[in-house]
Amino acid sequence: MSESMALDPIGTPEEKTQSPDIISLRKLANSLGGLGDDSTRQIVWPLFLGSPTPDSTESPSTEAEGDEKPHHPEWRSLPTHKDEDQVRLDVNRSFIYYPSNESEKQLDRRKEELFDVITQVLRQQPMLCYFQGFHDIVQVLLLVLGKEAAVGAVSRLALLRIRDFMLPSLSPSLAHLRLLPAILYAADRELYARVKDTQPYFALAATLTLYAHDIEAYADIARLFDFLLAHEAVVSIYLFAQIILSRRQELFEIPADEPEMLHFTLSKLPKPLNLEDHIHDALVLYETYPPTRLPFRAWSKVSSNSVLKTTRDSTATQIQTLEEGRTFFAKQVAELNREEQRRQVLSLLWKYRRPVSSIGLALTVGIISIILRGSTGESAVTAGWRKAALFVKYMLGGQT
């Protein structure tokens, strides 16, 4: 590597509001080897996430009044979460690669702890939608922090760092992937042209699970979490973009008439991964082409309630409360509902485009815009789309 790994932390404009200790810890997480060992991680990861540890003598200042006590014993009496059957199936397939030095009995106990951590978080935050791969993330936190500390850390991670992945639709997750083409275009237009016809879904498994699904070595995934937890959510996308950039020659060697092979190659992380180089280069890539300067207006298309934007201040995950996470979640669900209603209205207009004359269509669209213009606030806008859909059906003679 040509430069020192100890780059300044991302989000330097916010450094004035950070404690010297957090700034130093972020620099350590960026440096060669990261935090180094699990005993250090047990102290630092909760600090990055704003989560207390079980043996804390007092709650940290970031723990908001009203946030649930993560170790409350009554969670088992809460209503069953709708996704618990899937959680059980995934947990039964966990701990495949690590830890490698434990007996079958010990691994079974690990699985029960993993199931308990995930189930407790889901029951305490029932709005969250479990996704396959969430258990991969929680598995890492459980192994490093232990069961008690993992519950609080996972709760905050779910609501404040990976909330977009736990909504009732995949759409917000795909918004993360849509930043990849913009980053590639900014950094290497020739490579962008080579891969632009391949949808960025190839990056979904890795980015959705913070790479825990794809990295098989415990030391590597723990070290990568040092880096990812120290920074804002978008850094995970820059890391994947950097991995693509590092494979430039390999990707150009794939014949242009084999798009399936290109997609397959992009969907698999290279081996060996050269993790330290990628972390260093991802930081440089981010600092050279920050999100707000990406082409195609890519950043402006991201919801203001997405974790991509609500974690822009690198201290956000430390100081935001679970209640704020739930508020962001509710706003994102409202956005998804409005988008679905808009799609339904446009689908109706398209379906019956022939029965409606060009003048009638223009009039219909105009009246819909007036209905929506008079709607302010989330509930009012949602109601506005419902009125628009009803109006379209009325104009079409009650057809459905």
Side-chain angles (χ1 to χ4, degrees):
M1 286 171 277
S2 59
E3 301 179 45
S4 168
M5 286 293 297
L7 293 179
D8 288 338
I10 292 175
T12 52
E14 290 80 29
E15 281 189 14
K16 293 180 181 179
T17 65
Q18 300 176 35
S19 72
D21 286 345
I22 289 295
I23 295 173
S24 298
L25 291 172
R26 282 206 170 89
K27 289 182 178 181
L28 180 61
N30 293 342
S31 67
L32 186 65
L35 299 178
D37 57 67
D38 284 357
S39 61
T40 303
R41 293 181 178 111
Q42 288 164 8
I43 299 171
V44 177
W45 284 10
L47 290 176
F48 285 159
L49 291 170
S51 172
T53 55
D55 56 354
S56 298
T57 57
E58 59 182 26
S59 296
S61 59
T62 56
E63 188 68 8
E65 183 178 352
D67 273 8
E68 292 86 350
K69 298 299 181 183
H71 321 300
H72 197 288
E74 299 303 318
W75 69 268
R76 294 183 188 276
S77 65
L78 294 173
T80 301
H81 190 277
K82 61 182 176 62
D83 296 327
E84 286 184 30
D85 288 344
Q86 184 61 55
V87 173
R88 175 59 73 185
L89 291 173
D90 289 347
V91 165
N92 288 342
R93 295 189 290 264
S94 62
F95 300 106
I96 299 299
Y97 300 111
Y98 51 80
S100 58
N101 58 345
E102 295 191 355
S103 67
E104 199 69 31
K105 185 176 181 179
Q106 288 173 313
L107 290 176
D108 286 342
R109 187 167 62 250
R110 294 272 193 193
K111 291 177 181 180
E112 286 307 309
E113 290 180 343
L114 180 60
F115 181 78
D116 283 352
V117 171
I118 296 174
T119 302
Q120 181 173 349
V121 171
L122 292 178
R123 289 190 185 185
Q124 290 180 332
Q125 314 298 337
M127 77 293 295
L128 294 175
C129 300
Y130 174 83
F131 63 90
Q132 289 185 272
F134 182 62
H135 72 291
D136 292 314
I137 299 174
V138 179
Q139 175 179 299
V140 178
L141 291 169
L142 174 62
L143 289 173
V144 171
L145 301 178
K147 181 179 177 181
E148 294 301 307
V151 174
V154 171
S155 295
R156 295 186 62 80
L157 185 81
L159 274 169
L160 302 174
R161 281 297 302 265
I162 61 170
R163 180 180 61 251
D164 294 4
F165 308 154
M166 307 197 77
L167 287 156
S169 167
L170 191 62
S171 178
S173 302
L174 299 181
H176 290 232
L177 305 186
R178 294 190 187 102
L179 294 177
L180 270 174
I183 298 171
L184 294 177
Y185 181 87
D188 187 334
R189 294 190 183 183
E190 189 177 10
L191 182 57
Y192 162 81
R194 177 67 186 88
V195 303
K196 68 181 178 66
D197 293 331
T198 302
Q199 291 295 321
Y201 305 144
F202 52 75
L204 185 61
T207 55
L208 197 69
T209 63
L210 302 183
Y211 300 84
H213 180 72
D214 294 317
I215 294 180
E216 299 175 3
Y218 174 72
D220 286 345
I221 191 58
R223 190 274 171 271
L224 182 56
F225 270 41
D226 293 344
F227 171 66
L228 294 178
L229 296 182
H231 296 297
E232 59 181 289
V234 75
V235 171
S236 177
I237 301 299
Y238 276 85
L239 177 64
F240 202 98
Q242 175 52 44
I243 292 172
I244 294 175
L245 292 168
S246 73
R247 307 177 78 178
R248 191 178 199 279
Q249 180 177 345
E250 176 188 3
L251 296 174
F252 273 108
E253 289 174 354
I254 298 174
D257 60 352
E258 295 187 15
E260 295 84 2
M261 179 58 69
L262 181 62
H263 184 279
F264 176 80
T265 302
L266 288 168
S267 68
K268 302 295 181 182
L269 296 183
K271 294 183 179 181
L273 188 55
N274 299 321
L275 195 56
E276 297 295 346
D277 287 346
H278 289 313
I279 287 172
H280 171 272
D281 293 342
L283 283 170
V284 174
L285 185 66
Y286 174 98
E287 292 166 351
T288 306
Y289 309 105
T292 53
R293 289 169 45 195
L294 291 176
F296 314 137
R297 298 182 64 249
W299 191 244
S300 67
K301 297 174 184 177
V302 175
S303 165
S304 61
N305 296 306
S306 166
V307 295
L308 293 170
K309 289 188 174 177
T310 61
T311 63
R312 280 291 283 146
D313 180 340
S314 53
T315 65
T317 308
Q318 300 166 50
I319 63 177
Q320 288 171 352
T321 67
L322 296 182
E323 184 58 39
E324 287 178 289
R326 287 188 285 265
T327 298
F328 286 130
F329 188 99
K331 289 181 178 179
Q332 287 177 281
V333 170
E335 289 173 351
L336 290 172
N337 290 338
R338 290 198 299 272
E339 178 59 27
E340 175 60 20
Q341 288 157 7
R342 186 188 72 86
R343 186 195 64 77
Q344 290 176 2
V345 169
L346 295 178
S347 177
L348 279 173
L349 288 172
W350 178 253
K351 182 178 180 180
Y352 296 106
R353 64 194 181 280
R354 291 182 180 177
V356 181
S357 67
S358 59
I359 296 178
L361 181 59
L363 179 61
T364 300
V365 172
I367 292 176
I368 289 173
S369 67
I370 292 172
I371 292 173
L372 297 177
R373 196 180 306 145
S375 304
T376 58
E378 290 180 13
S379 59
V381 172
T382 299
W385 277 115
R386 290 199 189 100
K387 291 177 183 177
L390 291 173
F391 177 74
V392 170
K393 290 180 179 180
Y394 172 77
M395 286 292 291
L396 299 172
Q399 300 177 70
T400 58

